[in-house]
Amino acid sequence: MTQAATVSTEDREIIIKRSFHATIPQLWRAWSDPALIGKWFGPDGFTTDTSRMEFREGGVWEFLMTGPDGRVWPNFVRYEVIEENARIVYSQAGAPDEVAFRTEVRFERLAEGQCSMTLRMMFKSAEDRDRVIREVGAIEGGIGTVSRLGRLCADSGPAPVCVALPSDREIIIARDFDASRELVWRAMTEPALLERWMFLPPGWRMSECAEDVRPGGRFQWAWVDSAGAPVMAMGGEYREVAHPERIVRTERFEFGCQPQAGEQLVTMTLEERPAGRTALRLLIEFPSREARDGMLASGMDEGMSAGYGKLDGLLASAGV
């Protein structure tokens, strides 16, 4: 897709990206096999029953999606583009009063046995996009759907973060942890625990970790390389603190000795899930699309995935 096309549609798109410890052919089969797609397609708690599936350009897929409350959602998909192991484009519609949209699915090989998948949902207007986010929970539904796909493909190893782009100035980071909300909260707010997992690339160490977790309080983190030279710092002010479920704070980065222009607003929520699990959601609001795109280009998702992998080990230890 050309840059011009991306710019012209960004205000009416939802983008969700996740990496997998799986191969592209594994993901492709999950999309193309009628016996498999019903096992993962749809948000957590939903079931998908296919009545017809013609996985070819011009073919159709008709299915009923049933929610946890018993409501049934009829869906009609028409496949527009199918490029094996590379790309799927389809249009999707439901009942007459529901929003229709077009989805592009792209697959990319990352390393041996690893790949990424990007869903780009395109709506007729920004109002349509905002409506499905507000009324249907499209972001959370998409995150749950790709997570179910990972489980179907026997996704192993540290769980990657799921990145969603609900607007041209926002990023949502989603990650689940196999630990109680109280433990995750402590690991996110206590300096002695933060220092043990907070996004430490090889050769880096945390040289400063100061926390005052209260409305109006501030935090300051800093990292140095193996030679002791400053590589990154991060600080800001807490706006809201509701233990153990929600934090709102500002963030400003400094790379080397160069401060970032502007700051972002971050809302962290922790939600209890069944079996003692906790769902983390970070909503990051940037001052501009350029600032958001710069953060995406920095490899933030890889760094956060690695850090959260360390946090998994910390949460499983007796030291928390």
Side-chain angles (χ1 to χ4, degrees):
M1 183 178 292
T2 66
Q3 183 178 5
T6 301
V7 170
S8 67
T9 62
E10 196 166 47
D11 67 339
R12 51 189 176 90
E13 291 180 346
I14 297 173
I15 300 174
I16 297 176
K17 181 177 181 179
R18 187 185 191 272
S19 59
F20 297 82
H21 298 279
T23 65
I24 291 177
Q26 283 179 287
L27 266 60
W28 188 264
R29 184 176 172 225
W31 276 95
S32 59
D33 187 339
L36 292 180
I37 200 163
K39 296 181 178 181
W40 67 271
F41 193 88
D44 287 319
F46 283 69
T47 60
T48 297
D49 298 304
T50 296
S51 58
R52 178 168 60 142
M53 185 175 183
E54 304 163 344
F55 190 70
R56 56 177 174 78
E57 293 185 356
V60 300
W61 175 29
E62 294 182 81
F63 62 95
L64 297 177
M65 186 174 288
T66 305
D69 60 357
R71 179 178 176 181
V72 178
W73 307 72
N75 282 267
F76 181 87
V77 164
R78 184 172 297 280
Y79 296 107
E80 299 177 7
V81 178
I82 295 181
E83 300 173 4
E84 188 171 359
N85 292 327
R87 187 166 75 111
I88 303 169
V89 179
Y90 61 86
S91 58
Q92 184 169 344
D97 62 335
E98 293 173 3
V99 173
F101 59 95
R102 188 169 179 262
T103 298
E104 179 185 56
V105 188
R106 284 189 177 270
F107 306 90
E108 180 183 357
R109 185 180 184 275
L110 300 177
E112 186 65 34
Q114 297 182 45
C115 65
S116 69
M117 182 181 75
T118 301
L119 302 179
R120 183 185 299 269
M121 292 169 275
M122 294 161 280
F123 298 85
K124 293 180 179 179
S125 67
E127 291 75 20
D128 279 353
R129 179 198 64 185
D130 295 345
R131 176 186 166 192
V132 299
I133 291 175
R134 181 179 64 253
E135 297 181 5
V136 185
I139 298 292
E140 191 63 29
I143 290 169
T145 297
V146 299
S147 296
R148 292 179 68 191
L149 175 57
R151 294 194 292 271
L152 176 71
C153 294
D155 203 2
S156 61
V161 299
C162 183
V163 179
L165 308 181
S167 76
D168 61 358
R169 294 195 300 111
E170 295 177 317
I171 297 175
I172 292 176
I173 301 293
R175 175 63 146 81
D176 287 0
F177 295 94
D178 190 15
S180 70
R181 181 165 65 174
E182 179 63 31
L183 289 183
V184 177
W185 176 274
R186 288 184 55 203
M188 295 285 178
T189 57
E190 295 182 13
L193 299 178
L194 281 165
E195 291 173 350
R196 296 169 61 183
W197 71 268
M198 176 56 76
F199 313 142
L200 297 174
W204 287 26
R205 64 177 176 85
M206 217 169 184
S207 58
E208 183 178 7
C209 186
E211 286 281 350
D212 184 9
V213 188
R214 60 178 178 82
R218 299 191 64 82
F219 76 98
Q220 183 64 39
W221 305 334
W223 293 263
V224 296
D225 63 19
S226 57
V231 288
M232 189 172 77
M234 179 180 173
E237 178 183 328
Y238 287 99
R239 299 279 181 84
E240 300 177 31
V241 177
H243 174 271
E245 60 190 41
R246 175 180 165 91
I247 284 176
V248 180
R249 70 186 180 204
T250 61
E251 290 183 356
R252 184 185 295 268
F253 285 87
E254 184 176 294
F255 298 96
C257 296
Q258 298 298 318
Q260 175 193 28
E263 65 182 15
Q264 51 256 21
L265 185 68
V266 178
T267 300
M268 180 188 82
T269 58
L270 299 175
E271 181 182 342
E272 292 180 317
R273 294 289 174 86
R277 295 181 62 82
T278 299
L280 165 74
R281 299 293 184 265
L282 295 178
L283 170 62
I284 310 173
E285 302 174 67
F286 293 85
S288 66
R289 186 182 68 198
E290 291 74 20
R292 185 208 68 173
D293 291 348
M295 185 61 72
L296 288 171
S298 72
M300 63 169 291
D301 52 338
E302 290 88 352
M304 296 181 80
S305 292
Y308 289 149
K310 294 179 181 179
L311 177 54
D312 283 333
L314 177 62
L315 292 169
S317 73
V320 180

